[in-house]
Amino acid sequence: MKEAIEIFWQKTCRLNWAVLLSTWVLAGAGVMFVRSACSARATEALRQLWVGQLEFAGWGVLLMGVLAYWDYRRWARVSGWVYAGVLAALILVLVPGLGVARMGARRWLFGLQPSEPAKLAVILMLSWVLSRWGERMRGMRGLLVCGVLAGVPAVLILAEPDLGTALVLGPTVLAMLFVSRVSPKVLGVGVLLVALAVGYELTLVKVAKAEGVDPARSERLIRWTGLREHQVRRVETFLYPMRDLHANGYNAYQSEIAVGSGGMFGKGYGRGVQHRLGYLPPVVSMNDFIFPVVAEETGFAGSVVLLGLYLFGILVPGSIIALRCRDDLGRLLCVGVLTLLFCHVFINIGMTVRIVPITGLPLPFISQGGTFMLVMMASMGVLQSVAIHGRISEAVFRH
């Protein structure tokens, strides 16, 4: 018993406290601002959705602790089973009668979204494959294998449809390939393919939706994109932001007003006008567009603090954990998790200020969503596990 306590204490001393405290602060802030955003909802049940966010945050803290104290080299061995289980869930969610459809998308299975843990499962699987067969994965074979492993769940996620979640897998795979020391030429091919795919979609939508284009030609070009109607509208709003401010571009327009009206120090917690009066629709202000709520109520200063917590509380310490890790598996896990986090933060905040098209990606720890909260907490548990076990021999914590 005494030895077990000593091992537990040794592991606790190796926790990265910057990541731990930043995660707790961000999750707490998320509960607060979800509560503020929910205050504008029509019914009492909707106004109490923040309670569920608090519960999931609590379960997430527990999950993070379990994964942190459990050596990542041990549970990474079951990555294949985790990956297969996630694929099965992604298939089941598309089955009518099993998957639940809301707002035009079939993403929920038994109250959870399989697409969220799928992102972490892909990181786990790629880390295991690249670390175990590193030398054989540094050529074109590595790009193809990783492309298939990430592409299969991405296709299933796109079928829901959920374009934003599928998109973040691309940069995550490329970052992990870079860390695994893949050939620069092969990595360049991967970057080029991603850039060409994005350019292809944007160009077709821009040409199809330009003024004076023949309707038949426009319809044909849109079919070539393979995008759904609502996805085309989002890209069109990004390319032509002033064209339809009272319909397709309404959310983005009101989001910009909310962000800009916060001033230096904001209007005060719970006093945001845009979401309380319904200009920023309540159905989006507590999830995809929660950053405007934060920016309006805390101002530029609060927004900088929020970004500082992501950057100096998680991204920088997480990068240090990766650099200090003595094995490829731990480094790859860290890079995958950090890239995933960065993509969510950049895309979510970017779409609220029109830097990128609206994709529906949530803001980590802040946006309302139980499954996403659990996955992000689990990701921080992965970072902590590498921080605890990545610099030492397994024999030290053999018990």
Side-chain angles (χ1 to χ4, degrees), residues 65-135:
V66 170
L67 290 178
Y69 285 89
W70 190 7
D71 192 336
Y72 64 92
R73 287 181 290 261
R74 295 182 178 179
W75 49 257
R77 295 168 188 166
V78 300
S79 58
W81 292 104
V82 174
Y83 181 81
V86 166
L87 287 184
L90 289 174
I91 293 172
L92 290 175
V93 80
L94 299 175
V95 177
L98 289 178
V100 177
R102 299 175 189 170
M103 296 179 288
R106 191 180 297 276
R107 302 177 187 171
W108 288 265
L109 183 68
F110 308 124
L112 300 174
Q113 290 182 266
S115 58
E116 296 299 343
K119 293 179 283 193
L120 193 54
V122 168
I123 292 172
L124 182 61
M125 188 65 187
L126 292 183
S127 298
W128 177 251
V129 170
L130 290 172
S131 63
R132 189 162 187 177
W133 294 286
E135 291 294 336

Side-chain angles (χ1 to χ4, degrees), residues 324-393:
R324 290 178 174 176
C325 183
R326 66 182 180 87
D327 60 52
D328 288 339
L329 176 60
R331 280 191 292 271
L332 287 165
L333 285 170
C334 289
V335 169
V337 165
L338 294 175
T339 305
L340 183 69
L341 177 77
F342 173 79
C343 288
H344 274 83
V345 173
F346 176 78
I347 294 175
N348 179 274
I349 296 178
M351 74 183 188
T352 64
V353 292
R354 296 182 187 267
I355 296 177
V356 298
I358 296 174
T359 58
L361 280 181
L363 187 61
F365 308 108
I366 306 296
S367 294
Q368 190 267 340
T371 311
F372 185 62
M373 175 66 81
L374 291 176
V375 169
M376 293 313 302
M377 286 292 190
S379 300
M380 295 304 100
V382 170
L383 282 183
Q384 296 289 8
S385 181
V386 177
I388 293 172
H389 304 95
R391 289 183 290 159
I392 56 176
S393 171

